């Protein structure tokens, strides 16, 4: 049987469990938070004073902080790319006429994710600290440029990617929230930490998908995991660009910025990998094929290897100025 057919069979075998995953890891729509819970109510007379407070508090946050928050927001706003990508994965089928469990998952996940870009975008708009038109151009570019995360239509690789990526976004939103809170931006702090909570639930779900696949097809799953790590997990916004610039330039600068700020670092990448290795008990998998054993050994040795490389990496100050944020008068 071809690899593709095995994947499809495994996805179909697991499909009856997907509703259970949705019940465990997603929150019913009527109960979950909405952007309006955190933002000034434009129907209320307090709207202007609350907005004024947001603008005052926003003055306490520095240039690198805004660059990072803008890039995080744009990454969330490129959700159409992620939904269409996941809908196209082997075994996820919105056309099979019987409401395929996996496509229901993708829609429900997208619906939760959609609130992230929404709340952050409105906050940025009210903050008065960023050039919204430049932010919007970058968002449009990013959606038009798409991405290539190296997963193809393979569900195994895609679920490794999402397991990894949801935890990465959890970490970065959480850290941004803490920084905001520390500088007296309570509202922004709350917003970021509640988004981080969503990302954590998503991470827990995706890592469960992988764990379940490991039970069905350990050889295929572990090889797919090793493949993904060999090509490195690229961020979903790796094509990020500013107006008039070429593809990917802004992403590199933003990564440096996030690294300098300590919002998402090479060390975090290693720790995520370590956590995935632990949860999936990669080191304890036995009875594998020869090739899968090689993949297992590669994965178990990788954190140590990356530690040695990370120790040599340096991120200095740089002169790049983003169009999204006015550098004048910033901390
Ligand atoms: Fe998100
Ligand atoms: Fe997420």
């Amino acid at each position: 049987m071809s690899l593709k057919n095995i994947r499809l069979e495994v996805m179909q075998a697991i499909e009856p469990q997907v509703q259970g995953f949705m019940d465990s890891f997603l929150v019913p729509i009527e109960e979950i938070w909405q952007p309006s819970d955190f933002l000034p109510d434009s129907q209320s007379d307090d709207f202007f004073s609350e907005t004024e407070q947001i603008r005052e508090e926003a003055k306490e946050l520095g240039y690198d902080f805004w660059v990072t928050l803008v890039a995080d927001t744009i990454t969330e706003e490129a959700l159409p790319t992620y939904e269409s990508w996941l809908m196209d994965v082997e075994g996820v089928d919105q056309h099979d006429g019987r409401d395929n469990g996996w496509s229901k998952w993708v829609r429900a996940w997208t619906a939760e994710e959609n609130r992230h870009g929404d709340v952050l975008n409105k906050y940025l708009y009210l903050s008065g600290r960023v050039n919204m038109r430049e932010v919007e151009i970058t968002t449009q570019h990013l959606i038009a440029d798409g991405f290539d995360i190296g997963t193809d239509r393979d569900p195994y690789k895609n679920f490794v990617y999402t397991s990894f990526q949801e935890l990465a976004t959890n970490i970065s939103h959480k850290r941004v929230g803490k920084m905001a809170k520390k500088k007296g931006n309570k509202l922004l702090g709350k917003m970021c930490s509640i988004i981080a909570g969503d990302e954590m639930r998503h991470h827990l779900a995706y890592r469960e998908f992988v764990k379940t696949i490991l039970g069905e097809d350990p050889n295929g799953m572990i090889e797919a995991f090793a493949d993904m790590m060999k090509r490195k997990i690229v961020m979903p916004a790796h094509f990020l660009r500013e107006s008039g610039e070429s593809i990917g330039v802004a992403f590199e600068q933003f990564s440096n910025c996030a690294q300098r700020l300590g919002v998402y670092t090479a060390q975090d990448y290693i720790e995520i990998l370590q956590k995935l290795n632990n949860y999936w008990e990669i080191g304890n998998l036995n009875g594998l094929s020869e090739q899968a054993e090689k993949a297992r050994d590669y994965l178990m040795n990788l954190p140590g290897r990356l530690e040695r490389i990370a120790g040599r990496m340096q991120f200095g100050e740089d002169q790049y100025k983003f169009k999204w944020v006015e550098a004048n008068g910033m901390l």
Side-chain angles (χ1 to χ4, degrees):
M1 210 171 8
S2 75
L3 262 190
K4 194 177 141 181
N5 289 342
I6 295 172
R7 304 290 206 251
L8 194 56
E9 266 196 10
V10 168
M11 285 293 276
Q12 284 165 351
I14 298 174
E15 201 202 308
Q17 299 177 51
V18 176
Q19 185 58 51
F21 292 139
M22 287 174 65
D23 296 341
S24 312
F25 298 110
L26 300 180
V27 179
I29 294 173
E30 311 282 330
E31 291 164 30
I32 203 167
W33 64 271
Q34 295 297 340
S36 298
D37 301 339
F38 298 92
L39 294 162
D41 175 2
S42 62
Q43 287 185 305
S44 148
D45 290 340
D46 296 333
F47 177 73
F48 292 105
S49 63
E50 284 174 21
T51 302
E52 195 46 49
Q53 195 185 338
I54 285 180
R55 295 166 70 86
E56 276 308 308
E57 289 176 356
K59 291 179 182 157
E60 299 302 313
L61 297 162
Y63 176 79
D64 278 355
F65 179 92
W66 289 106
V67 167
T68 304
L69 189 62
V70 164
D72 284 352
T73 305
I74 295 167
T75 306
E76 296 285 353
E77 292 272 51
L79 186 58
T81 303
Y82 319 143
E83 181 181 29
S84 57
W85 188 275
L86 290 174
M87 269 303 181
D88 196 39
V89 166
E90 207 67 66
V92 180
D93 186 354
Q94 58 181 327
H95 303 292
D96 74 357
R98 39 169 207 93
D99 213 7
N100 174 294
W102 291 112
S103 64
K104 260 170 89 177
W105 162 269
V106 173
R107 290 200 306 270
W109 169 84
T110 304
E112 282 204 357
E113 284 288 340
N114 188 55
R115 295 142 51 254
H116 301 169
D118 184 352
V119 72
L120 289 171
N121 184 311
K122 284 178 179 134
Y123 173 83
L124 286 178
Y125 174 68
L126 293 176
S127 76
R129 306 310 315 231
V130 305
N131 181 329
M132 282 310 286
R133 190 162 203 284
E134 289 293 341
V135 172
E136 288 156 358
I137 292 172
T138 300
T139 303
Q140 187 170 353
H141 266 307
L142 186 60
I143 295 174
D145 288 334
F147 68 1
D148 185 6
I149 51 177
T151 56
D152 207 346
R153 300 182 61 216
D154 181 345
Y156 298 6
K157 290 184 183 174
N158 274 285
F159 292 157
V160 165
Y161 183 83
T162 48
S163 297
F164 196 103
Q165 203 46 47
E166 294 284 2
L167 190 51
T169 48
N170 162 269
I171 292 168
S172 65
H173 286 308
K174 200 168 56 191
R175 297 227 178 101
V176 167
K178 272 190 189 150
M179 272 175 210
K181 201 174 152 203
K182 219 170 144 189
K183 293 271 187 185
N185 283 248
K186 257 202 204 145
L187 182 76
L188 181 56
K190 257 196 234 163
M191 271 170 44
C192 292
S193 67
I194 200 148
I195 295 173
D198 283 7
E199 311 293 20
M200 179 51 87
R201 284 186 294 100
H202 298 163
H203 162 68
L204 297 178
Y206 284 116
R207 78 173 191 177
E208 215 51 47
F209 298 173
V210 171
K211 184 118 186 159
T212 311
I213 294 171
L214 274 169
E216 300 276 332
D217 180 13
N219 290 324
M221 188 61 243
I222 200 165
E223 282 175 41
F225 183 18
D227 264 7
M228 284 307 294
M229 297 317 301
K230 270 178 199 157
R231 65 165 77 233
K232 295 194 191 79
I233 305 282
V234 296
M235 294 296 122
H238 64 129
F239 285 163
L240 201 69
R241 59 160 105 188
E242 290 189 288
S243 63
E245 307 287 339
S246 46
I247 203 162
V249 172
F251 180 75
E252 237 169 79
Q253 300 299 335
F254 151 61
S255 293
N256 292 342
C257 207
Q259 182 90 229
R260 270 201 307 271
L261 212 57
V263 162
Y264 184 74
T265 67
Q267 198 56 42
D268 293 317
Y269 186 96
I270 301 168
E271 282 169 25
I272 293 172
L273 167 61
Q274 190 67 63
K275 281 186 181 152
L276 295 177
N277 271 349
N278 293 346
Y279 187 72
W280 294 332
E281 298 180 276
I282 298 298
N284 296 336
L285 291 175
N286 291 311
L288 299 172
S289 69
E290 203 179 312
Q291 221 177 330
E293 275 189 2
K294 272 191 200 148
R296 178 191 62 197
D297 296 343
Y298 169 78
L299 288 165
M300 293 307 288
N301 290 327
L302 188 55
R305 270 181 46 201
L306 292 176
E307 288 280 1
R308 290 190 287 280
I309 299 169
R312 295 195 292 269
M313 273 160 82
Q314 281 181 348
F315 291 89
E317 295 293 317
D318 61 64
Q319 299 306 309
Y320 190 86
K321 288 285 168 260
F322 285 89
K323 293 170 183 162
W324 310 323
V325 183
E326 201 57 65
N328 283 348
M330 300 295 276
L331 302 169

